[in-house]
Amino acid sequence: MKLEEHGFAIEDATRAIEIDPGYVKAYYRRALCQLAVLRPQFAIPDFKKCLALDPHNKLAKTQLDATTKLLKRMQFEAAITVGEEKSAVDRCREIIADGGCDHTEPSYSGPLLPIITPATKGSQPKYGINKEFVEGMLKWFKEGKTLPRRFVWEIVLNTYDILVKEESLIDIPLEEGVICDVIGDTHGALTGLPSESHCLLFNGDFVDRGSWSVEVVTTLFAYKWLYPNRVGLNRGNHETKDMNKVYGFEGEVRHKHGEQTYKVRLMVLALVPLATMVSPRLPPKTSHDAAHGSPILSPEGRKRFFVVHGGLFSKDGITLDEVRKIDRLGKQPGNEGLMCELLWTDPQETNGRGPSKRGVGLGFGPDITKAWCELNSVTGVIRSHEVRQGGYAIEHGGLCITVFSAPNYVDQGQNLGAYLRIDAAGERSYHTFKASPHPPLRPMAYSNPGLAMFG
């Protein structure tokens, strides 16, 4: 459970119950794992069984009440969403046009978005963004302060206009003199600053777990607006509605900026591309790697790297073009299919494919990775999604690299964070770092109470 291998934990708990049908702890732990993989409907019977066996179990009663409320809320929101006619983006723009979203409070002394077109009678000003605003915003956030809602909306709405035009598989070319840093799960942590010669690719899970997801994703969106071709965003399994409801982002946004801001952020997160091809433009410096042999090259004889949050697929033969054509806009990944697998799967040591240790997705072996890279002329798969104690891991004969950038994960992991740097010739270097001190706010402070033990 602490390794977040909830699928394996559910199997273990089920076996324990088969051996001893009166084992309360097994029902309780299985329920927690079902909740962790967003199956509250399966958690409720186990919590009830705990109470049937141990009527005075206060912890099981608390979890049952919280999980029952969560399930009812999810069912209610699913029902009313069907009848919604206006998108959150359109609604925000309508409120702005009607003058219903103030620019700043009189007491506000923080950074200001530059005005591109001044307000006129009957119209609102048009804002742009510059480096000075983003640098001031970062300083403002570090002081524990929040932006005005109007500025948050401007950042989110302008990011929407960029993301809605991007394909599900985007390309980041690395010309001579340009480097790209691949940053794995942030979960409330952020490192590095982009520029015209320094690309940043954030590989999913920008939100949840930590308690500063609002500040992190606002920063990523602001940089995406400022440098649309130098900042890449890949969607992770936590950029989904149900995960946000359970693991904290929904509660955090509502607490800091209100309901409408949560709706528009959720809508924009559902536009984030699913994968990125980082494509160095210079020839490789060497044709042979001492540790892993000759690299797989693109048809043009260049290295290139497929960057995705989770991993590869449940069937062979999936092409880059198929990934590019996935209809992701506004969609949730569900529990199966290409989109789910891109966000949820994990590498395994043995060849072939295996059941997911998480309970969602699957495991893919070294032979699967090699065959897919050869089919698509890809030098390697770079993914995140899992804690690595050293911050990163090179697996599958060098063809699969895991990069995890949230050090001391949820204040318990004691792990390093890392990012991977790729230059214009496809040379890779790994950079690790320790956690920085943060204000005295616990991880997952805004999460569903039923997930408290996972914080």
Side-chain angles (χ1 to χ4, degrees), residues 417-429:
Y419 63 90
L420 168 60
R421 176 162 293 175
I422 305 171
D423 69 14
E427 293 296 303
R428 288 159 284 175
S429 59

Side-chain angles (χ1 to χ4, degrees), residues 4-11 32-42 209 236-238 240 242-243 247 309-314 332-348 354-364 383 385-386:
E4 299 186 4
E5 296 177 351
H6 301 120
F8 288 171
I10 289 170
E11 291 179 9
L32 287 177
C33 290
Q34 296 285 13
L35 183 57
V37 295
L38 306 180
R39 294 197 286 253
Q41 69 272 25
F42 295 114
R209 300 290 194 183
N237 62 300
H238 276 269
T240 55
D242 289 344
M243 295 292 279
Y247 286 93
H309 181 72
L312 299 180
F313 311 99
S314 60
Q332 298 299 310
N335 292 315
E336 59 183 12
L338 295 184
M339 185 173 172
C340 171
E341 291 165 4
L342 286 164
L343 272 55
W344 276 98
T345 59
D346 296 296
Q348 62 184 30
S356 170
K357 59 190 176 185
R358 300 173 184 270
V360 183
L362 70 146
F364 59 95
R383 42 91 63 183
H385 195 38
E386 292 182 280

Side-chain angles (χ1 to χ4, degrees), residues 151-198:
F151 287 178
V152 172
W153 284 13
E154 290 289 340
I155 292 169
V156 175
L157 293 173
N158 279 278
T159 304
Y160 168 89
D161 290 337
I162 296 168
L163 294 177
V164 76
K165 298 174 185 176
E166 293 186 335
E167 295 182 308
S168 291
L169 172 62
I170 64 171
D171 185 73
I172 295 181
L174 300 183
E175 302 88 359
E176 186 171 8
V178 178
I179 58 174
C180 178
D181 289 345
V182 180
I183 300 169
D185 301 44
T186 56
H187 284 304
L190 178 64
T191 182
L193 300 176
S195 68
E196 289 299 334
S197 61
H198 184 194

Side-chain angles (χ1 to χ4, degrees), residues 300-362:
E300 297 77 27
R302 305 292 188 265
K303 291 182 179 180
R304 61 177 182 172
F305 303 92
F306 181 75
V307 186
V308 64
H309 181 72
L312 299 180
F313 311 99
S314 60
K315 60 181 181 179
D316 298 329
I318 300 299
T319 65
L320 297 175
D321 196 47
E322 288 178 83
V323 175
R324 188 174 288 109
K325 292 179 179 178
I326 294 174
D327 180 15
R328 78 182 192 284
L329 296 179
K331 304 293 178 60
Q332 298 299 310
N335 292 315
E336 59 183 12
L338 295 184
M339 185 173 172
C340 171
E341 291 165 4
L342 286 164
L343 272 55
W344 276 98
T345 59
D346 296 296
Q348 62 184 30
E349 294 182 1
T350 57
N351 282 335
R353 296 180 175 90
S356 170
K357 59 190 176 185
R358 300 173 184 270
V360 183
L362 70 146

Side-chain angles (χ1 to χ4, degrees), residues 24 207 256 449:
V24 176
V207 301
K256 294 177 179 179

Side-chain angles (χ1 to χ4, degrees), residues 379-398:
T379 308
V381 175
I382 300 171
R383 42 91 63 183
S384 302
H385 195 38
E386 292 182 280
V387 178
R388 292 292 188 262
Q389 284 304 117
Y392 70 95
I394 302 172
E395 303 162 284
H396 291 190

